[in-house]
Amino acid sequence: MYEWHGWATIVASPGTEDDEAADARQRAAEAEVGDLVAAAGAVNETVDLRRANGSLHLWLAGAHNHRDDGVVELFAKVAQLAPGSYGVLYALEHGVDPGWHRWVMRRGKVTGEADSSLSPHVGSVEDR
């Protein structure tokens, strides 16, 4: 089973602009991310956008029988559409990966990083 969990806060720019043009860029980035999420066609997974205190947030979670890198590609596309966004995505292919993979979104890019919080899965999270 391939399992993943992640979140991101959607922000158009890493800058601190606070004017009408910045507001317009934020609305445009949110609309583009919304279109991307709507087109994702989630099956056996959660791909959800919600507002909290004025900010737009993305939640991702799911489990497929086989590895599906589409979730990582979606996460990276969000980073490109809204380069001020930030978040993390964890994924584990049970029985194949010894530990969780972590991708970090910041400044328009998604990078893989070593995880030591949940890895190795067997021993850290569950017993065999």
Side-chain angles (χ1 to χ4, degrees):
M1 179 176 61
Y2 186 64
E3 174 183 1
W4 65 91
H5 306 274
W7 63 268
T9 299
I10 308 305
V11 183
S13 168
T16 58
E17 304 89 1
D18 189 18
D19 56 17
E20 286 184 34
D23 289 344
R25 284 192 300 277
Q26 181 67 28
R27 286 190 303 274
E30 290 177 0
E32 287 184 275
V33 170
D35 290 345
L36 178 68
V37 167
V43 177
N44 290 331
E45 58 197 50
T46 299
V47 181
D48 193 22
L49 283 171
R50 301 262 177 174
R51 286 203 177 276
N53 199 24
S55 296
L56 188 64
H57 303 273
L58 171 68
W59 282 278
L60 303 165
H64 286 179
N65 290 335
H66 303 285
R67 184 180 189 97
D68 181 357
D69 291 326
V71 68
V72 177
E73 293 166 4
L74 176 76
F75 200 64
K77 185 67 175 171
V78 168
Q80 293 170 357
L81 293 173
S85 299
Y86 54 91
V88 293
L89 174 67
Y90 284 86
L92 175 70
E93 189 168 9
H94 291 273
V96 175
D97 296 330
W100 288 81
H101 296 273
R102 177 177 61 211
W103 289 272
V104 178
M105 177 190 300
R106 58 181 165 255
R107 296 190 168 267
K109 293 185 176 29
V110 171
T111 56
E113 296 185 355
D115 171 70
S116 61
S117 299
L118 298 171
S119 300
H121 186 78
V122 174
S124 295
V125 177
E126 67 180 27
D127 297 329
R128 282 282 162 177

